[in-house]
Amino acid sequence: MSAAGVRTVAFPASLKAELAAHLDKHAESSRTGLVFTGARGGRLRRNNFRRIWLRAVEQAGLGDVHFHDLRHTGNTLAATGGATTRELMQRMGHSSVRAALIYQHLVNGRDDAIAAHVDEQIKT
């Protein structure tokens, strides 16, 4: 893990209750504890995580959603919200620009919003 992999990341306030419930029920209690643990409290392994994930996706009726899709969606929403490349890199824990640019590909088409923002700035 790189130094960028250890970080504090702000999350949407609307997730606070669900996150608190998850931490109380499933996570290790220490500050450096695992957020996601296996059935017996140990580390999740790829083979048992996949089974758990597929069951959860099915129960939620989400169809073909991969775990990494959550990261992609969150970072794309951050990019469309105006996060800079450097801010995306910090949120994702990346030390290179390449990965952050992936999430900015969907930001195209914001030209009108950018012009409106610039217009507001020069009016004041």
Side-chain angles (χ1 to χ4, degrees):
M1 179 182 323
S2 72
V6 177
R7 63 200 179 282
T8 299
V9 178
F11 62 91
S14 61
L15 300 177
K16 186 176 180 179
E18 288 86 358
L19 181 59
H22 171 83
L23 293 173
D24 285 343
K25 185 174 181 180
H26 301 288
E28 292 180 336
S29 60
S30 73
R31 185 181 186 297
T32 59
L34 298 172
V35 174
F36 300 99
T37 58
R40 289 180 259 168
R43 283 192 181 274
L44 279 174
R45 302 287 182 222
R46 176 170 278 206
N47 62 343
N48 62 359
F49 176 77
R50 180 165 169 70
R51 185 178 64 250
I52 293 166
W53 174 255
L54 291 175
R55 189 177 330 132
V57 166
E58 182 181 334
Q59 289 174 353
L62 294 177
D64 188 27
V65 175
H66 300 94
F67 188 72
H68 193 78
D69 293 340
L70 301 176
R71 177 181 172 89
H72 189 83
T73 299
N75 288 309
T76 300
L77 291 172
T80 60
T84 66
T85 302
R86 172 50 80 198
E87 290 166 335
L88 288 171
M89 289 171 59
Q90 189 278 326
R91 287 185 67 80
M92 294 182 297
H94 286 264
S95 53
S96 75
V97 172
R98 188 179 148 275
L101 293 177
I102 292 169
Y103 300 100
Q104 291 180 319
H105 74 281
L106 295 177
V107 180
N108 295 336
R110 286 186 10 100
D111 200 35
D112 289 337
I114 293 167
H117 174 76
V118 171
D119 192 41
E120 284 300 314
Q121 299 303 306
I122 61 176
K123 285 181 184 178
T124 57

